[in-house]
Amino acid sequence: MSEPCRLSDQPNSALEPLSFQKIFDMLPVGAMTCNLDTFEIDYANPYSIELLHSIRETLGIDPNEIVGTSIDVFHKNPLHQRSLLSKSENLPHKARIRFGEEWLDLHIHPLPDSTGRISRALLVWAIATAEVAKAREEYRLLRMIDNMPVAVMTVDPVSFAITYLNETSKRTLGQIETLLPIKPSELLGASIDVFHKNPAHQRGLLSDPANLPHRAKIKLGPEVLDLQVSSVTATDGTYLGPMLTWSVITQQVAAEARIHQLAHFDTLTGLANRNTFREHLEASLLKPAAQVALLFIDLDGFKFVNDSNGHLVGDKLLRRVADRLRLHCDASNVLVGRLGGDEFAISIEGGDVAEASRLSQALIREIVEPYQIEADRRLSIGASIGIAVSPDHGTTSEMLLSRADMALYAAKAAGKKTFRVFSPDLEKRLHERVRLEAKLRQALGAMDGLFLFYQPIIDIATGHTTAREALIRWHHGARGWIPPSEFIPMAEDSGLIDQLGIWVLGQACREAATWTDGARVAVNVSAKQLGKGVLAHHVLEALVSSGLEPGRLEIEVTESALLSNELDCLSDLRRVRDLGVRVALDDFGTGFSSLAHLRSFPFDKIKIDGSFVRDAVHRADCAAIVGVLADLGNRLGVTTVAEGVETQAHLDLVTAEGCTEVQGYLLGRPVPSPADAEAVARLNARPSADGKAKAS
């Protein structure tokens, strides 16, 4: 093995030869020299030998024998390597070369001799594999960050200048370029203040890592940015600065707001929906010393408006009502909600009975004012209101809503367009109604205590009975005879009216079949029985089972019964009439569109409401109405019956006005059938709780 070349052998060395040699021997980097004529390594410092041992397998030779070896051992392309070293204009040269699995950082410097000829080269080198791996990892991470679908920026924590923007940041900022004070291309190096309305707050947040991580939504013009700030730290935990990730979430925020709106507010009116109102009410009641007034509102006459004008008009009307409620309830302690349909509710935190009553009066006056829905459409409705106040009437939302509903029911019963405050008596009456409904259900199941009474309808010209109207009566074991005005609405509300109606129809046909005078039987049909498509079937069953001729049965319907689902109701009546059964329009003149009903269906009989007849003797306008209706019936070829004839003066007037038939106490009161007469007499003789023993 040849001796390592000594740098002191070089002539004209600028330094004292021994110290120059020692300097290279002590360098902590690899240092070698190469003869450019032979391309052999003629010097290698100790650190080079040490480094070569670490890559001995790749080197392929003993590192201690490196001196005298060709420089070609370090390069895959020796020709390129020799060409590089042989041309002085290529030097100095810096390169990073792959050496097997390792990477070497190589610095080549020319070493001129005394004549100035470049005869040798100095190679300073180090193994850079770890640095390359680190650089590659950093590059990979940088590319990943650049391609992330979220915008990323870094900020200097001292100057607050933006030090980095990934590609997504640049693309996203380009979409909102007009909202920025500077161009996106100018942001690198610019202050982060351009994104915030309060720079002092922003800087305070970013300068202290204790504030991080942090997340916020910031408004930038019409856009909303979702900003997340996290701290970037060195391996020793030193705070290097904040990293901001952000995205434009304007559409997402709008969608979330829409979802929140749908979940918490009524889509038609924009008021709080049932769930939101109940949650707010519960929260109010949980506050210390809570006092909350609750108003339960139901619109009077809305159903008729909705059915007669269509749901689109009904929806417009509900929105107008909501606007008026909002206008009168804009205080911070008041919440207005729509519970469904035409039911609204208002809660007043800190409200008492007096305040709730004043507001109820104002709202009733406001709601009753006409609504100009369209240029040619002006509508009017009313409102009934029930009031309950905590803690006097309840301390839970369920209890308060229930008792406000009871008060609302009382307001409806009092004639509507008014309000009532809950009282224990109302609850007592409601419980009594529930018990009464249960008793009616039992009576229907056992057919016990139910009777049909019959009132005659007389032909004025002949004095003969042409028909008898079947009127249901119910005897309650404890209360005695219950007025039909009390139990019929209850049967309609509870769904018992269908069962009750089928029984009345069958019983009336069976008893009429036994009459020897051939009179017809008139049976009232509730509005709740119409429009279901089953009335004709029940009528046919009653006729077949009783053997009564179809022409001896009359079905009576009121005008109000035709206001809901008019087309379906009239379809039911047409099927009944096709069976040969007569159809009469009861309470004629009291509806909203009497003449329209006469046009829409060929009624066999119209019955003039008794209220006109009773007042006709003293009021010329009522007498005129009776006359007009009687003349109308004669012109249409239908029978006209005057109801409520109780005195001779009544009879004389309706006769003079041209009515065909009459019905009333003067000519006959309702009486039970002969088969029930004895049982009814016994019941009439029995005292009842309210002192009323007889039924009529």
Side-chain angles (χ1 to χ4, degrees):
M1 184 178 91
S2 61
E3 289 292 327
C5 176
R6 302 182 66 83
L7 293 181
S8 58
D9 294 339
Q10 296 300 309
N12 301 322
S13 184
L15 296 176
E16 193 278 323
L18 183 61
S19 63
F20 192 38
Q21 173 76 47
K22 287 181 178 180
I23 289 172
F24 276 94
D25 283 348
M26 291 185 295
L27 283 175
V29 295
M32 296 186 294
T33 59
C34 173
N35 187 307
L36 297 182
D37 294 326
T38 64
F39 296 103
E40 290 182 354
I41 298 171
D42 54 15
Y43 167 77
N45 72 342
Y47 196 78
S48 284
I49 305 301
E50 184 181 337
L51 290 176
L52 291 175
H53 274 287
S54 68
I55 58 173
R56 180 171 182 168
E57 292 184 5
T58 304
L59 186 64
I61 63 172
D62 186 344
N64 293 317
E65 299 176 353
I66 194 66
V67 174
T69 303
S70 173
I71 194 68
D72 297 343
V73 297
F74 291 104
H75 209 281
K76 291 183 178 180
N77 188 342
L79 292 178
H80 173 77
Q81 179 83 343
R82 293 189 177 203
S83 174
L84 174 71
L85 296 175
S86 63
K87 295 178 181 180
S88 60
E89 61 268 23
N90 294 330
L91 303 179
H93 177 73
K94 180 179 178 181
R96 177 165 281 173
I97 61 174
R98 182 75 178 266
F99 189 57
E101 297 299 320
E102 306 291 346
W103 285 89
L104 306 181
D105 270 345
L106 184 63
H107 296 257
I108 306 174
H109 298 272
L111 291 177
D113 60 17
S114 59
T115 64
R117 176 175 172 268
I118 306 300
S119 60
R120 304 177 74 197
L122 172 65
L123 287 72
V124 180
W125 65 283
I127 297 174
T129 306
E131 293 180 11
V132 170
K134 182 180 178 182
R136 282 187 167 184
E137 181 64 17
E138 290 175 351
Y139 178 77
R140 186 177 70 85
L141 290 174
L142 187 61
R143 294 303 300 163
M144 287 176 60
I145 295 172
D146 269 342
N147 294 320
M148 282 177 64
V150 177
V152 177
M153 293 189 299
T154 57
V155 178
D156 186 283
V158 178
S159 67
F160 301 102
I162 299 170
T163 56
Y164 168 77
L165 295 89
N166 72 342
E167 292 301 319
T168 305
S169 275
K170 296 171 185 176
R171 287 194 300 271
T172 307
L173 290 170
Q175 298 171 12
I176 58 172
E177 182 174 357
T178 57
L179 304 176
L180 300 174
I182 60 176
K183 296 179 180 179
S185 58
E186 299 171 349
L187 278 171
L188 195 61
S191 172
I192 192 66
D193 297 343
V194 297
F195 290 102
H196 210 277
K197 292 182 178 179
N198 188 345
H201 170 78
Q202 179 84 339
R203 292 187 173 210
L205 173 72
L206 300 180
S207 62
D208 187 355
N211 297 325
L212 307 179
H214 174 75
R215 184 170 188 173
K217 289 184 176 70
I218 60 175
K219 198 89 164 75
L220 192 63
E223 304 291 348
V224 181
L225 307 184
D226 181 23
L227 178 68
Q228 298 184 61
V229 188
S230 55
S231 61
V232 180
T233 57
T235 53
D236 62 357
T238 304
Y239 178 53
L240 299 178
M243 181 175 73
L244 290 69
T245 58
W246 60 281
S247 57
V248 180
I249 57 168
T250 309
Q251 292 183 348
Q252 179 184 334
V253 168
E256 290 174 353
R258 178 61 177 160
I259 292 170
H260 183 273
Q261 179 75 17
L262 292 173
H264 294 85
F265 296 90
D266 175 54
T267 55
L268 179 65
T269 63
L271 298 175
N273 62 18
R274 176 183 288 272
N275 290 336
T276 300
F277 186 86
R278 183 183 287 271
E279 290 172 1
H280 176 85
L281 182 59
E282 288 174 351
S284 299
L285 292 170
L286 289 174
K287 292 180 180 180
Q291 181 172 314
V292 181
L294 176 66
L295 280 65
F296 203 146
I297 306 169
D298 186 78
L299 302 182
D300 302 326
F302 174 77
K303 190 175 189 305
F304 167 71
V305 171
N306 198 47
D307 292 340
S308 58
N309 292 275
H311 294 299
L312 291 178
V313 172
D315 287 349
K316 287 183 180 179
L317 182 56
L318 288 174
R319 284 193 287 267
R320 297 289 182 82
V321 171
D323 291 341
R324 294 187 184 184
L325 292 177
R326 260 191 294 261
L327 185 64
H328 280 74
C329 306
D330 61 348
S332 59
N333 66 325
V334 180
L335 178 69
V336 184
R338 182 186 176 212
L339 305 188
D342 60 345
E343 291 182 340
F344 297 84
I346 298 172
S347 70
I348 311 172
E349 284 194 20
D352 55 16
V353 171
E355 183 179 357
S357 298
R358 286 193 298 271
L359 180 58
S360 295
Q361 288 176 330
L363 291 177
I364 290 171
R365 286 195 301 268
E366 180 64 27
I367 291 173
V368 79
E369 287 295 318
Y371 298 80
Q372 192 73 43
I373 299 298
E374 295 170 357
D376 59 344
R377 200 186 300 264
R378 190 175 172 86
L379 301 173
S380 295
I381 55 172
S384 298
I385 302 177
I387 299 173
V389 178
S390 73
D392 297 343
H393 304 151
T395 55
T396 66
S397 62
E398 183 177 356
M399 187 179 296
L400 215 59
L401 284 165
S402 174
R403 290 181 169 175
D405 192 27
M406 293 179 199
L408 173 63
Y409 183 83
K412 291 279 190 184
K416 302 181 180 180
K417 295 183 182 178
T418 186
F419 71 91
R420 288 292 183 270
V421 179
F422 172 81
S423 66
D425 180 58
L426 293 179
E427 192 164 27
K428 180 180 178 182
R429 277 187 275 172
L430 178 64
H431 291 160
E432 175 60 31
R433 185 176 184 274
V434 172
R435 288 192 291 269
L436 192 64
E437 180 185 317
K439 285 292 185 181
L440 178 60
R441 199 177 297 274
Q442 291 176 5
L444 274 170
M447 286 302 154
D448 180 29
L450 294 172
F451 302 92
L452 287 184
F453 283 37
Y454 298 92
Q455 185 176 28
I457 299 173
I458 308 297
D459 183 278
I460 293 178
T462 65
H464 294 154
T465 298
T466 60
R468 297 180 180 89
E469 182 177 358
L471 303 168
I472 189 169
R473 298 292 184 263
W474 176 33
H475 188 275
H476 185 282
R479 287 182 52 187
W481 296 100
I482 306 296
S485 59
E486 182 176 349
F487 74 83
I488 293 295
M490 184 179 64
E492 290 178 330
D493 293 341
S494 63
L496 293 174
I497 193 64
D498 290 325
Q499 185 180 352
L500 187 62
I502 291 171
W503 178 81
V504 170
L505 189 61
Q507 185 72 2
C509 288
R510 283 190 292 273
E511 292 183 340
T514 65
W515 298 343
T516 57
D517 60 359
R520 295 183 295 274
V521 63
V523 177
N524 291 282
V525 172
S526 164
K528 299 290 180 130
Q529 293 174 263
L530 287 171
K532 301 176 181 178
V534 296
L535 181 61
H537 172 73
H538 295 321
V539 168
L540 183 59
E541 271 192 340
L543 292 172
V544 171
S545 63
S546 66
L548 184 70
E549 295 178 5
R552 291 187 59 201
L553 174 63
E554 288 182 355
I555 295 296
E556 290 190 5
V557 294
T558 62
E559 285 193 85
S560 60
L562 301 178
L563 296 180
S564 178
N565 299 324
E566 182 173 359
L567 294 178
D568 291 335
C569 294
L570 293 177
S571 178
D572 275 358
L573 295 179
R574 288 190 181 92
R575 293 191 185 96
V576 168
R577 203 167 188 274
D578 289 343
L579 296 175
V581 174
R582 292 164 61 89
V583 180
L585 184 60
D586 199 6
D587 298 337
F588 186 68
T590 60
F592 291 93
S593 52
S594 302
L595 297 180
H597 291 141
L598 291 181
R599 290 181 59 192
S600 61
F601 188 84
F603 291 98
D604 299 288
K605 178 186 289 188
I606 55 176
K607 301 182 75 174
I608 303 172
D609 188 70
S611 61
F612 295 116
V613 174
R614 283 190 292 272
D615 293 339
V617 175
H618 308 290
R619 292 180 53 178
D621 56 343
C622 290
I625 291 173
V626 172
V628 168
L629 296 180
D631 183 61
L632 178 63
N634 291 332
R635 287 175 177 270
L636 293 174
V638 300
T639 303
T640 54
V641 181
E643 297 180 295
V645 176
E646 299 178 353
T647 66
Q648 186 62 44
H650 292 153
L651 179 59
D652 292 342
L653 185 141
V654 299
T655 301
E657 294 294 346
C659 292
T660 312
E661 296 179 348
V662 289
Q663 180 181 2
Y665 284 0
L666 177 67
L667 305 150
R669 288 177 173 270
V671 295
S673 67
D676 291 333
E678 185 177 346
V680 170
R682 287 198 302 271
L683 293 173
N684 282 340
R686 185 188 304 172
S688 62
D690 56 9
K692 297 178 182 178
K694 295 184 179 181
S696 61

